[in-house]
Amino acid sequence: MDFHPTEEQAAAAGLAATIFGDLATHERLAAAGTGSDAELWKALTAAGLTAAVEDVGLLGLVLLLEEQGRATAQVPYAATCAYGILPLTRHGSDAQRARLLPALGTGEAVVCGAFPSRGRIAASPEGRLTGTAPFVPWLRDATHVLVPDADHALWLVRTDAPGVRTTPVETTAPWAAGRLDLTGADGERLGDGPGAYEDTLAVARTAFAGLQAGVCAGSLARAVEYTSTREQFGRPLSTNQGVMLRAADAYMDTEAIRVTAYEAAWRIDAGLTADTHALTAGWWASEAGKRVVHAGQHLHGGMGADLDHPVHRHFLWGRQLDAYLGCGSELLAELGTLLSEDGAATAATPATEGDDA
């Protein structure tokens, strides 16, 4: 495996870092409240960074989402790519791709996802959906929502269609979330073959693990800057052994999130099986991400308790990502079940001549 970005992926990540660094400032984020930054979203789409995901793949998206996470930029970038562009690219028909991908690339259309499936939404044979998703990130910005039904079929639903009601809800992180209520709403089927839901969930878990890697890296960078300049008893806090050890642990956790996300993304882009790898990346994003953002806040001492301090935003994002798409214990249980099923299937496969006993 090779995690080195291509020239195109590196250029896209560098451009994203510049745009997020220039526009996702603390002042602009504070002014946005729990909503999205429309100007930043326009800048991203105008620079071609949304449409570029078709070409740079999931690994390229992970690199781009790291930059969003560093800045905790309030735009529906992760959702539109993970639930819109990549599922359409991987499972959409030619007609669906031709109709929807250009609008997603320009930002005219925004997709969010009612993931993971909790069996709350049922589909009739005619493709009418009924049920509720109590929490859908970026629903307030979306023109479409990708909805899995109780049987794990995927449906694209317009948020302005008859039978669709959206209600704003507030979550830990300012993700412009909402409650989705469907009453006989028309859905457009995405992907006819089996496994589209599982593939999309694996892609989303990997993508949001990349986002968490960026959130943690940003939190740690703020902690390093603060402890290097804040003095106590005549010397910087960073010279205390306890501070150094806490920061070192946070760094290793951040790198673990990053490398597992890279591996899962690389395997998915290469067409290899990656269900266990996506779960592993999600587990690290949940468990290690929680530790890192707690450490970032603690290393700021009393300043970390200030709700208006920039590091607190990283804490909120990190805790939201900790539980989103499955918390650590849930992912670990799912991973254990998957490994046991794989082991049972391997054991049940009869050996052929020439195999080792």
Side-chain angles (χ1 to χ4, degrees):
M1 62 189 70
D2 184 2
F3 297 159
H4 289 93
T6 64
E7 183 177 346
E8 187 178 20
Q9 289 170 338
L15 178 58
T18 299
I19 293 174
F20 285 129
D22 289 345
L23 295 182
T25 62
H26 176 59
E27 294 74 21
R28 289 176 63 90
L29 290 170
T34 62
S36 299
D37 187 330
E39 184 179 343
L40 174 56
W41 181 237
K42 183 178 180 180
L44 285 172
T45 55
L49 289 176
T50 307
V53 175
E54 294 180 56
D55 300 317
V56 301
L58 181 54
L59 181 55
L61 176 60
V62 167
L63 295 171
L64 291 163
L65 292 181
E66 280 192 71
E67 301 304 332
Q68 180 185 2
R70 288 179 201 275
T72 59
Q74 291 171 204
V75 286
Y77 189 54
T80 290
C81 296
Y83 298 124
I85 291 177
L86 289 180
L88 280 165
T89 302
R90 297 170 66 84
H91 303 290
S93 66
D94 291 341
Q96 287 173 326
R97 288 194 290 267
R99 173 166 47 87
L100 294 170
L101 285 177
L104 290 172
T106 61
E108 179 184 351
V110 173
V111 179
C112 62
F115 276 65
S117 173
R118 303 292 186 189
R120 298 189 179 102
I121 297 174
S124 72
E126 297 78 23
R128 295 188 178 276
L129 305 174
T130 299
T132 298
F135 152 63
V136 181
W138 307 109
L139 181 61
R140 284 181 256 164
D141 295 332
T143 58
H144 299 74
V145 56
L146 186 63
V147 178
D149 65 21
D151 296 322
H152 287 182
L154 295 182
W155 304 87
L156 270 174
V157 178
R158 288 194 61 92
T159 56
D160 60 357
V164 178
R165 184 172 60 134
T166 63
T167 308
V169 298
E170 298 302 334
T171 59
T172 301
W175 284 2
R179 173 188 173 97
L180 178 69
D181 291 293
L182 302 174
T183 309
D186 284 330
E188 178 182 0
R189 183 71 182 269
L190 179 66
D192 293 328
Y197 168 78
E198 290 76 12
D199 178 72
T200 300
L201 181 57
V203 166
R205 281 173 168 162
T206 303
F208 281 95
L211 185 65
Q212 180 76 301
V215 169
C216 291
S219 175
L220 182 58
R222 291 188 182 279
V224 169
E225 180 182 9
Y226 179 81
T227 57
S228 297
T229 55
R230 177 75 170 179
E231 292 191 358
Q232 189 178 59
F233 304 116
R235 62 177 187 175
L237 288 171
S238 60
T239 61
N240 294 322
Q241 187 178 42
V243 171
M244 288 189 285
L245 291 174
R246 191 78 188 276
D249 286 342
Y251 174 78
M252 294 303 295
D253 273 338
T254 301
E255 289 301 298
I257 301 169
R258 178 180 287 118
V259 74
T260 52
Y262 285 4
E263 181 180 16
W266 176 83
R267 291 184 66 87
I268 290 172
D269 283 342
L272 303 173
T273 57
D275 43 7
T276 58
H277 301 80
L279 283 167
T280 301
W283 182 84
W284 275 103
S286 175
E287 292 293 305
K290 178 168 51 182
R291 290 194 296 265
V292 173
V293 296
H294 273 267
Q297 193 167 38
H298 291 168
L299 289 173
H300 279 76
M303 293 299 295
D306 182 358
L307 301 185
D308 294 324
H309 195 282
V311 77
H312 186 66
R313 188 176 293 105
H314 290 270
F315 175 78
L316 295 178
W317 279 60
R319 289 312 308 260
Q320 188 73 59
L321 286 164
D322 159 35
Y324 183 51
L325 298 181
C327 64
S329 58
E330 183 180 1
L331 295 172
L332 197 60
E334 190 176 339
L335 179 59
T337 299
L338 188 60
L339 291 173
S340 64
E341 290 174 351
D342 288 346
T346 301
T349 302
T352 58
E353 185 178 352
D355 286 349
D356 291 336

